[in-house]
PDB file of all heavy atoms in Angstrom:
ATOM      1  N   GLN C  13      58.930  88.182  95.923  1.00  0.00           N
ATOM      2  CA  GLN C  13      59.131  88.230  94.470  1.00  0.00           C
ATOM      3  C   GLN C  13      60.379  89.036  94.127  1.00  0.00           C
ATOM      4  O   GLN C  13      61.163  88.634  93.262  1.00  0.00           O
ATOM      5  CB  GLN C  13      57.914  88.856  93.781  1.00  0.00           C
ATOM      6  CG  GLN C  13      56.674  88.008  93.837  1.00  0.00           C
ATOM      7  CD  GLN C  13      55.438  88.759  93.329  1.00  0.00           C
ATOM      8  OE1 GLN C  13      55.433  89.975  93.206  1.00  0.00           O
ATOM      9  NE2 GLN C  13      54.387  88.004  93.045  1.00  0.00           N
ATOM     10  N   VAL C  14      60.579  90.164  94.814  1.00  0.00           N
ATOM     11  CA  VAL C  14      61.759  91.003  94.571  1.00  0.00           C
ATOM     12  C   VAL C  14      63.027  90.220  94.877  1.00  0.00           C
ATOM     13  O   VAL C  14      63.964  90.203  94.082  1.00  0.00           O
ATOM     14  CB  VAL C  14      61.710  92.292  95.427  1.00  0.00           C
ATOM     15  CG1 VAL C  14      63.017  93.065  95.327  1.00  0.00           C
ATOM     16  CG2 VAL C  14      60.545  93.169  95.029  1.00  0.00           C
ATOM     17  N   VAL C  15      63.051  89.577  96.037  1.00  0.00           N
ATOM     18  CA  VAL C  15      64.242  88.820  96.447  1.00  0.00           C
ATOM     19  C   VAL C  15      64.547  87.725  95.423  1.00  0.00           C
ATOM     20  O   VAL C  15      65.688  87.589  94.968  1.00  0.00           O
ATOM     21  CB  VAL C  15      64.075  88.238  97.865  1.00  0.00           C
ATOM     22  CG1 VAL C  15      65.189  87.257  98.200  1.00  0.00           C
ATOM     23  CG2 VAL C  15      64.016  89.370  98.898  1.00  0.00           C
ATOM     24  N   GLN C  16      63.533  86.955  95.044  1.00  0.00           N
ATOM     25  CA  GLN C  16      63.744  85.880  94.071  1.00  0.00           C
ATOM     26  C   GLN C  16      64.205  86.425  92.720  1.00  0.00           C
ATOM     27  O   GLN C  16      65.106  85.877  92.089  1.00  0.00           O
ATOM     28  CB  GLN C  16      62.470  85.039  93.905  1.00  0.00           C
ATOM     29  CG  GLN C  16      62.102  84.228  95.122  1.00  0.00           C
ATOM     30  CD  GLN C  16      63.237  83.331  95.590  1.00  0.00           C
ATOM     31  OE1 GLN C  16      63.858  82.627  94.812  1.00  0.00           O
ATOM     32  NE2 GLN C  16      63.520  83.373  96.889  1.00  0.00           N
ATOM     33  N   ASP C  17      63.587  87.508  92.277  1.00  0.00           N
ATOM     34  CA  ASP C  17      63.951  88.134  91.008  1.00  0.00           C
ATOM     35  C   ASP C  17      65.411  88.600  91.051  1.00  0.00           C
ATOM     36  O   ASP C  17      66.185  88.375  90.111  1.00  0.00           O
ATOM     37  CB  ASP C  17      63.004  89.307  90.736  1.00  0.00           C
ATOM     38  CG  ASP C  17      63.033  89.787  89.293  1.00  0.00           C
ATOM     39  OD1 ASP C  17      63.812  89.258  88.477  1.00  0.00           O
ATOM     40  OD2 ASP C  17      62.259  90.720  88.985  1.00  0.00           O
ATOM     41  N   LEU C  18      65.807  89.237  92.149  1.00  0.00           N
ATOM     42  CA  LEU C  18      67.171  89.749  92.264  1.00  0.00           C
ATOM     43  C   LEU C  18      68.204  88.624  92.394  1.00  0.00           C
ATOM     44  O   LEU C  18      69.306  88.742  91.868  1.00  0.00           O
ATOM     45  CB  LEU C  18      67.278  90.728  93.432  1.00  0.00           C
ATOM     46  CG  LEU C  18      66.602  92.072  93.184  1.00  0.00           C
ATOM     47  CD1 LEU C  18      66.582  92.911  94.455  1.00  0.00           C
ATOM     48  CD2 LEU C  18      67.288  92.824  92.057  1.00  0.00           C
ATOM     49  N   ILE C  19      67.853  87.561  93.088  1.00  0.00           N
ATOM     50  CA  ILE C  19      68.755  86.404  93.167  1.00  0.00           C
ATOM     51  C   ILE C  19      69.016  85.895  91.757  1.00  0.00           C
ATOM     52  O   ILE C  19      70.161  85.649  91.369  1.00  0.00           O
ATOM     53  CB  ILE C  19      68.161  85.288  94.053  1.00  0.00           C
ATOM     54  CG1 ILE C  19      68.159  85.700  95.515  1.00  0.00           C
ATOM     55  CG2 ILE C  19      68.929  83.973  93.863  1.00  0.00           C
ATOM     56  CD1 ILE C  19      67.351  84.770  96.417  1.00  0.00           C
ATOM     57  N   GLN C  20      67.944  85.753  90.993  1.00  0.00           N
ATOM     58  CA  GLN C  20      68.049  85.234  89.632  1.00  0.00           C
ATOM     59  C   GLN C  20      68.857  86.170  88.725  1.00  0.00           C
ATOM     60  O   GLN C  20      69.682  85.730  87.946  1.00  0.00           O
ATOM     61  CB  GLN C  20      66.647  85.020  89.081  1.00  0.00           C
ATOM     62  CG  GLN C  20      66.578  84.135  87.871  1.00  0.00           C
ATOM     63  CD  GLN C  20      65.125  83.791  87.552  1.00  0.00           C
ATOM     64  OE1 GLN C  20      64.240  84.642  87.656  1.00  0.00           O
ATOM     65  NE2 GLN C  20      64.886  82.556  87.170  1.00  0.00           N
ATOM     66  N   ARG C  21      68.623  87.469  88.838  1.00  0.00           N
ATOM     67  CA  ARG C  21      69.277  88.426  87.933  1.00  0.00           C
ATOM     68  C   ARG C  21      70.702  88.791  88.326  1.00  0.00           C
ATOM     69  O   ARG C  21      71.493  89.175  87.471  1.00  0.00           O
ATOM     70  CB  ARG C  21      68.457  89.709  87.835  1.00  0.00           C
ATOM     71  CG  ARG C  21      67.139  89.508  87.132  1.00  0.00           C
ATOM     72  CD  ARG C  21      66.443  90.835  87.006  1.00  0.00           C
ATOM     73  NE  ARG C  21      65.066  90.680  86.606  1.00  0.00           N
ATOM     74  CZ  ARG C  21      64.450  91.513  85.784  1.00  0.00           C
ATOM     75  NH1 ARG C  21      65.094  92.540  85.281  1.00  0.00           N
ATOM     76  NH2 ARG C  21      63.199  91.325  85.480  1.00  0.00           N
ATOM     77  N   THR C  22      71.009  88.729  89.635  1.00  0.00           N
ATOM     78  CA  THR C  22      72.328  89.201  90.074  1.00  0.00           C
ATOM     79  C   THR C  22      73.234  88.097  90.605  1.00  0.00           C
ATOM     80  O   THR C  22      74.444  88.285  90.654  1.00  0.00           O
ATOM     81  CB  THR C  22      72.188  90.256  91.191  1.00  0.00           C
ATOM     82  OG1 THR C  22      71.638  89.629  92.362  1.00  0.00           O
ATOM     83  CG2 THR C  22      71.344  91.435  90.737  1.00  0.00           C
ATOM     84  N   GLY C  23      72.647  87.004  91.059  1.00  0.00           N
ATOM     85  CA  GLY C  23      73.446  85.949  91.668  1.00  0.00           C
ATOM     86  C   GLY C  23      73.858  86.263  93.097  1.00  0.00           C
ATOM     87  O   GLY C  23      74.595  85.503  93.714  1.00  0.00           O
ATOM     88  N   LEU C  24      73.394  87.386  93.636  1.00  0.00           N
ATOM     89  CA  LEU C  24      73.716  87.728  95.018  1.00  0.00           C
ATOM     90  C   LEU C  24      72.970  86.800  95.973  1.00  0.00           C
ATOM     91  O   LEU C  24      71.870  86.355  95.672  1.00  0.00           O
ATOM     92  CB  LEU C  24      73.323  89.179  95.318  1.00  0.00           C
ATOM     93  CG  LEU C  24      74.131  90.267  94.611  1.00  0.00           C
ATOM     94  CD1 LEU C  24      73.512  91.637  94.877  1.00  0.00           C
ATOM     95  CD2 LEU C  24      75.579  90.245  95.059  1.00  0.00           C
ATOM     96  N   PRO C  25      73.563  86.538  97.130  1.00  0.00           N
ATOM     97  CA  PRO C  25      72.871  85.690  98.111  1.00  0.00           C
ATOM     98  C   PRO C  25      71.641  86.402  98.678  1.00  0.00           C
ATOM     99  O   PRO C  25      71.616  87.636  98.783  1.00  0.00           O
ATOM    100  CB  PRO C  25      73.916  85.456  99.205  1.00  0.00           C
ATOM    101  CG  PRO C  25      75.009  86.427  98.965  1.00  0.00           C
ATOM    102  CD  PRO C  25      74.902  86.933  97.572  1.00  0.00           C
ATOM    103  N   PRO C  26      70.618  85.633  99.069  1.00  0.00           N
ATOM    104  CA  PRO C  26      69.388  86.236  99.586  1.00  0.00           C
ATOM    105  C   PRO C  26      69.631  87.136 100.798  1.00  0.00           C
ATOM    106  O   PRO C  26      68.963  88.154 100.950  1.00  0.00           O
ATOM    107  CB  PRO C  26      68.496  85.049  99.944  1.00  0.00           C
ATOM    108  CG  PRO C  26      69.286  83.827  99.717  1.00  0.00           C
ATOM    109  CD  PRO C  26      70.553  84.185  99.030  1.00  0.00           C
ATOM    110  N   GLN C  27      70.608  86.792 101.644  1.00  0.00           N
ATOM    111  CA  GLN C  27      70.883  87.611 102.826  1.00  0.00           C
ATOM    112  C   GLN C  27      71.334  89.011 102.423  1.00  0.00           C
ATOM    113  O   GLN C  27      70.951  89.999 103.053  1.00  0.00           O
ATOM    114  CB  GLN C  27      71.969  86.972 103.710  1.00  0.00           C
ATOM    115  CG  GLN C  27      71.639  85.588 104.191  1.00  0.00           C
ATOM    116  CD  GLN C  27      72.101  84.501 103.206  1.00  0.00           C
ATOM    117  OE1 GLN C  27      72.144  84.691 102.000  1.00  0.00           O
ATOM    118  NE2 GLN C  27      72.408  83.334 103.748  1.00  0.00           N
ATOM    119  N   THR C  28      72.139  89.101 101.388  1.00  0.00           N
ATOM    120  CA  THR C  28      72.617  90.409 100.920  1.00  0.00           C
ATOM    121  C   THR C  28      71.456  91.222 100.374  1.00  0.00           C
ATOM    122  O   THR C  28      71.310  92.409 100.680  1.00  0.00           O
ATOM    123  CB  THR C  28      73.704  90.238  99.838  1.00  0.00           C
ATOM    124  OG1 THR C  28      74.795  89.496 100.395  1.00  0.00           O
ATOM    125  CG2 THR C  28      74.197  91.578  99.321  1.00  0.00           C
ATOM    126  N   ILE C  29      70.633  90.581  99.585  1.00  0.00           N
ATOM    127  CA  ILE C  29      69.485  91.281  98.996  1.00  0.00           C
ATOM    128  C   ILE C  29      68.535  91.772 100.091  1.00  0.00           C
ATOM    129  O   ILE C  29      68.101  92.923 100.075  1.00  0.00           O
ATOM    130  CB  ILE C  29      68.772  90.376  97.975  1.00  0.00           C
ATOM    131  CG1 ILE C  29      69.705  90.153  96.776  1.00  0.00           C
ATOM    132  CG2 ILE C  29      67.439  90.985  97.541  1.00  0.00           C
ATOM    133  CD1 ILE C  29      69.273  89.070  95.834  1.00  0.00           C
ATOM    134  N   GLN C  30      68.253  90.903 101.045  1.00  0.00           N
ATOM    135  CA  GLN C  30      67.355  91.301 102.140  1.00  0.00           C
ATOM    136  C   GLN C  30      67.975  92.416 102.982  1.00  0.00           C
ATOM    137  O   GLN C  30      67.257  93.256 103.522  1.00  0.00           O
ATOM    138  CB  GLN C  30      66.990  90.093 102.989  1.00  0.00           C
ATOM    139  CG  GLN C  30      66.063  89.153 102.240  1.00  0.00           C
ATOM    140  CD  GLN C  30      65.859  87.817 102.929  1.00  0.00           C
ATOM    141  OE1 GLN C  30      66.700  87.377 103.712  1.00  0.00           O
ATOM    142  NE2 GLN C  30      64.746  87.166 102.640  1.00  0.00           N
ATOM    143  N   ALA C  31      69.302  92.452 103.063  1.00  0.00           N
ATOM    144  CA  ALA C  31      69.975  93.496 103.836  1.00  0.00           C
ATOM    145  C   ALA C  31      69.956  94.846 103.113  1.00  0.00           C
ATOM    146  O   ALA C  31      69.943  95.891 103.773  1.00  0.00           O
ATOM    147  CB  ALA C  31      71.413  93.081 104.134  1.00  0.00           C
ATOM    148  N   ILE C  32      69.937  94.838 101.784  1.00  0.00           N
ATOM    149  CA  ILE C  32      69.994  96.116 101.055  1.00  0.00           C
ATOM    150  C   ILE C  32      68.615  96.667 100.691  1.00  0.00           C
ATOM    151  O   ILE C  32      68.498  97.864 100.418  1.00  0.00           O
ATOM    152  CB  ILE C  32      70.891  96.024  99.797  1.00  0.00           C
ATOM    153  CG1 ILE C  32      70.345  95.018  98.804  1.00  0.00           C
ATOM    154  CG2 ILE C  32      72.321  95.731 100.174  1.00  0.00           C
ATOM    155  CD1 ILE C  32      71.106  94.949  97.499  1.00  0.00           C
ATOM    156  N   LEU C  33      67.585  95.847 100.699  1.00  0.00           N
ATOM    157  CA  LEU C  33      66.236  96.347 100.379  1.00  0.00           C
ATOM    158  C   LEU C  33      65.802  97.504 101.280  1.00  0.00           C
ATOM    159  O   LEU C  33      65.232  98.484 100.780  1.00  0.00           O
ATOM    160  CB  LEU C  33      65.202  95.219 100.436  1.00  0.00           C
ATOM    161  CG  LEU C  33      65.082  94.344  99.201  1.00  0.00           C
ATOM    162  CD1 LEU C  33      64.039  93.253  99.425  1.00  0.00           C
ATOM    163  CD2 LEU C  33      64.762  95.147  97.962  1.00  0.00           C
ATOM    164  N   PRO C  34      66.075  97.450 102.596  1.00  0.00           N
ATOM    165  CA  PRO C  34      65.669  98.583 103.436  1.00  0.00           C
ATOM    166  C   PRO C  34      66.392  99.892 103.111  1.00  0.00           C
ATOM    167  O   PRO C  34      65.986 100.947 103.572  1.00  0.00           O
ATOM    168  CB  PRO C  34      66.003  98.119 104.855  1.00  0.00           C
ATOM    169  CG  PRO C  34      65.972  96.632 104.779  1.00  0.00           C
ATOM    170  CD  PRO C  34      66.514  96.315 103.407  1.00  0.00           C
ATOM    171  N   THR C  35      67.455  99.825 102.326  1.00  0.00           N
ATOM    172  CA  THR C  35      68.123 101.044 101.858  1.00  0.00           C
ATOM    173  C   THR C  35      67.595 101.442 100.488  1.00  0.00           C
ATOM    174  O   THR C  35      67.326 102.624 100.240  1.00  0.00           O
ATOM    175  CB  THR C  35      69.654 100.830 101.797  1.00  0.00           C
ATOM    176  OG1 THR C  35      70.124 100.517 103.112  1.00  0.00           O
ATOM    177  CG2 THR C  35      70.362 102.066 101.274  1.00  0.00           C
ATOM    178  N   LEU C  36      67.426 100.474  99.596  1.00  0.00           N
ATOM    179  CA  LEU C  36      67.030 100.796  98.222  1.00  0.00           C
ATOM    180  C   LEU C  36      65.603 101.334  98.103  1.00  0.00           C
ATOM    181  O   LEU C  36      65.362 102.253  97.323  1.00  0.00           O
ATOM    182  CB  LEU C  36      67.188  99.564  97.319  1.00  0.00           C
ATOM    183  CG  LEU C  36      68.616  99.196  96.946  1.00  0.00           C
ATOM    184  CD1 LEU C  36      68.629  97.919  96.113  1.00  0.00           C
ATOM    185  CD2 LEU C  36      69.293 100.326  96.205  1.00  0.00           C
ATOM    186  N   VAL C  37      64.665 100.786  98.847  1.00  0.00           N
ATOM    187  CA  VAL C  37      63.266 101.239  98.726  1.00  0.00           C
ATOM    188  C   VAL C  37      63.114 102.699  99.167  1.00  0.00           C
ATOM    189  O   VAL C  37      62.577 103.514  98.411  1.00  0.00           O
ATOM    190  CB  VAL C  37      62.291 100.295  99.463  1.00  0.00           C
ATOM    191  CG1 VAL C  37      60.886 100.885  99.519  1.00  0.00           C
ATOM    192  CG2 VAL C  37      62.262  98.921  98.770  1.00  0.00           C
ATOM    193  N   PRO C  38      63.619 103.095 100.356  1.00  0.00           N
ATOM    194  CA  PRO C  38      63.498 104.516 100.724  1.00  0.00           C
ATOM    195  C   PRO C  38      64.258 105.446  99.771  1.00  0.00           C
ATOM    196  O   PRO C  38      63.828 106.570  99.524  1.00  0.00           O
ATOM    197  CB  PRO C  38      64.079 104.591 102.130  1.00  0.00           C
ATOM    198  CG  PRO C  38      64.122 103.206 102.638  1.00  0.00           C
ATOM    199  CD  PRO C  38      64.165 102.304 101.445  1.00  0.00           C
ATOM    200  N   LEU C  39      65.388 104.969  99.225  1.00  0.00           N
ATOM    201  CA  LEU C  39      66.131 105.790  98.261  1.00  0.00           C
ATOM    202  C   LEU C  39      65.320 106.016  96.995  1.00  0.00           C
ATOM    203  O   LEU C  39      65.323 107.126  96.449  1.00  0.00           O
ATOM    204  CB  LEU C  39      67.462 105.128  97.903  1.00  0.00           C
ATOM    205  CG  LEU C  39      68.596 105.294  98.889  1.00  0.00           C
ATOM    206  CD1 LEU C  39      69.805 104.474  98.451  1.00  0.00           C
ATOM    207  CD2 LEU C  39      68.970 106.748  99.077  1.00  0.00           C
ATOM    208  N   ALA C  40      64.653 104.979  96.526  1.00  0.00           N
ATOM    209  CA  ALA C  40      63.815 105.132  95.336  1.00  0.00           C
ATOM    210  C   ALA C  40      62.729 106.164  95.605  1.00  0.00           C
ATOM    211  O   ALA C  40      62.457 107.040  94.770  1.00  0.00           O
ATOM    212  CB  ALA C  40      63.190 103.785  94.947  1.00  0.00           C
ATOM    213  N   LEU C  41      62.142 106.100  96.789  1.00  0.00           N
ATOM    214  CA  LEU C  41      61.088 107.046  97.150  1.00  0.00           C
ATOM    215  C   LEU C  41      61.647 108.463  97.315  1.00  0.00           C
ATOM    216  O   LEU C  41      61.005 109.438  96.934  1.00  0.00           O
ATOM    217  CB  LEU C  41      60.374 106.588  98.420  1.00  0.00           C
ATOM    218  CG  LEU C  41      59.665 105.236  98.327  1.00  0.00           C
ATOM    219  CD1 LEU C  41      59.114 104.829  99.683  1.00  0.00           C
ATOM    220  CD2 LEU C  41      58.585 105.238  97.265  1.00  0.00           C
ATOM    221  N   LYS C  42      62.859 108.573  97.859  1.00  0.00           N
ATOM    222  CA  LYS C  42      63.499 109.881  98.017  1.00  0.00           C
ATOM    223  C   LYS C  42      63.740 110.516  96.646  1.00  0.00           C
ATOM    224  O   LYS C  42      63.536 111.713  96.462  1.00  0.00           O
ATOM    225  CB  LYS C  42      64.820 109.732  98.785  1.00  0.00           C
ATOM    226  CG  LYS C  42      65.526 111.027  99.075  1.00  0.00           C
ATOM    227  CD  LYS C  42      64.785 111.802 100.126  1.00  0.00           C
ATOM    228  CE  LYS C  42      65.564 113.008 100.584  1.00  0.00           C
ATOM    229  NZ  LYS C  42      64.770 113.841 101.494  1.00  0.00           N
ATOM    230  N   PHE C  43      64.165 109.707  95.702  1.00  0.00           N
ATOM    231  CA  PHE C  43      64.377 110.182  94.338  1.00  0.00           C
ATOM    232  C   PHE C  43      63.067 110.736  93.773  1.00  0.00           C
ATOM    233  O   PHE C  43      63.042 111.806  93.179  1.00  0.00           O
ATOM    234  CB  PHE C  43      64.905 109.020  93.481  1.00  0.00           C
ATOM    235  CG  PHE C  43      65.264 109.399  92.081  1.00  0.00           C
ATOM    236  CD1 PHE C  43      66.453 110.054  91.803  1.00  0.00           C
ATOM    237  CD2 PHE C  43      64.426 109.079  91.028  1.00  0.00           C
ATOM    238  CE1 PHE C  43      66.791 110.396  90.504  1.00  0.00           C
ATOM    239  CE2 PHE C  43      64.753 109.415  89.727  1.00  0.00           C
ATOM    240  CZ  PHE C  43      65.949 110.077  89.458  1.00  0.00           C
ATOM    241  N   LEU C  44      61.978 110.009  93.988  1.00  0.00           N
ATOM    242  CA  LEU C  44      60.671 110.426  93.484  1.00  0.00           C
ATOM    243  C   LEU C  44      60.139 111.654  94.210  1.00  0.00           C
ATOM    244  O   LEU C  44      59.419 112.466  93.632  1.00  0.00           O
ATOM    245  CB  LEU C  44      59.670 109.279  93.619  1.00  0.00           C
ATOM    246  CG  LEU C  44      60.015 108.022  92.833  1.00  0.00           C
ATOM    247  CD1 LEU C  44      59.049 106.904  93.180  1.00  0.00           C
ATOM    248  CD2 LEU C  44      60.038 108.303  91.351  1.00  0.00           C
ATOM    249  N   GLN C  45      60.507 111.815  95.459  1.00  0.00           N
ATOM    250  CA  GLN C  45      60.030 112.943  96.248  1.00  0.00           C
ATOM    251  C   GLN C  45      60.594 114.267  95.723  1.00  0.00           C
ATOM    252  O   GLN C  45      60.030 115.327  95.987  1.00  0.00           O
ATOM    253  CB  GLN C  45      60.417 112.759  97.713  1.00  0.00           C
ATOM    254  CG  GLN C  45      59.758 113.751  98.641  1.00  0.00           C
ATOM    255  CD  GLN C  45      60.139 113.497 100.089  1.00  0.00           C
ATOM    256  OE1 GLN C  45      61.261 113.065 100.374  1.00  0.00           O
ATOM    257  NE2 GLN C  45      59.224 113.749 100.994  1.00  0.00           N
ATOM    258  N   GLY C  46      61.663 114.211  94.951  1.00  0.00           N
ATOM    259  CA  GLY C  46      62.274 115.424  94.432  1.00  0.00           C
ATOM    260  C   GLY C  46      61.334 116.296  93.618  1.00  0.00           C
ATOM    261  O   GLY C  46      61.529 117.507  93.524  1.00  0.00           O
ATOM    262  N   GLY C  47      60.308 115.722  93.045  1.00  0.00           N
ATOM    263  CA  GLY C  47      59.364 116.506  92.262  1.00  0.00           C
ATOM    264  C   GLY C  47      58.268 117.153  93.081  1.00  0.00           C
ATOM    265  O   GLY C  47      57.479 117.947  92.568  1.00  0.00           O
ATOM    266  N   ALA C  48      58.216 116.812  94.373  1.00  0.00           N
ATOM    267  CA  ALA C  48      57.178 117.380  95.232  1.00  0.00           C
ATOM    268  C   ALA C  48      57.431 118.869  95.455  1.00  0.00           C
ATOM    269  O   ALA C  48      58.571 119.323  95.501  1.00  0.00           O
ATOM    270  CB  ALA C  48      57.134 116.646  96.575  1.00  0.00           C
ATOM    271  N   HIS C  49      56.381 119.604  95.597  1.00  0.00           N
ATOM    272  CA  HIS C  49      56.486 121.043  95.837  1.00  0.00           C
ATOM    273  C   HIS C  49      56.953 121.300  97.265  1.00  0.00           C
ATOM    274  O   HIS C  49      56.532 120.609  98.191  1.00  0.00           O
ATOM    275  CB  HIS C  49      55.146 121.729  95.575  1.00  0.00           C
ATOM    276  CG  HIS C  49      54.805 121.756  94.117  1.00  0.00           C
ATOM    277  ND1 HIS C  49      55.172 122.786  93.292  1.00  0.00           N
ATOM    278  CD2 HIS C  49      54.172 120.858  93.322  1.00  0.00           C
ATOM    279  CE1 HIS C  49      54.774 122.531  92.057  1.00  0.00           C
ATOM    280  NE2 HIS C  49      54.159 121.361  92.044  1.00  0.00           N
ATOM    281  N   THR C  50      57.796 122.310  97.419  1.00  0.00           N
ATOM    282  CA  THR C  50      58.345 122.613  98.740  1.00  0.00           C
ATOM    283  C   THR C  50      57.288 123.168  99.678  1.00  0.00           C
ATOM    284  O   THR C  50      57.312 122.881 100.870  1.00  0.00           O
ATOM    285  CB  THR C  50      59.509 123.618  98.630  1.00  0.00           C
ATOM    286  OG1 THR C  50      59.055 124.761  97.913  1.00  0.00           O
ATOM    287  CG2 THR C  50      60.697 123.009  97.943  1.00  0.00           C
TER     288      THR C  50
END
C-alpha cells in the first residue's frame, strides 16, 4: 500500500521507493525515539 501510494503521489519508480523505505522507516522511528527517557 505504501509503495502504491507513493508511486501515485510522487511519480517515483517502484524500485526507488522500495530502495528508500528501509531508510525512511527506521528514521521515522528514530525521530519518535527522541521522547524516550534516557
Side-chain angles (χ1 to χ4, degrees):
Q13 291 171 344
V14 172
V15 170
Q16 292 305 312
D17 196 358
L18 288 172
I19 290 169
Q20 197 170 40
R21 292 184 192 217
T22 66
L24 292 173
Q27 302 89 329
T28 301
I29 293 168
Q30 289 170 336
I32 62 175
L33 277 179
T35 299
L36 286 177
V37 171
L39 280 175
L41 298 174
K42 183 72 172 174
F43 184 78
L44 298 173
Q45 190 178 33
H49 290 270
T50 54

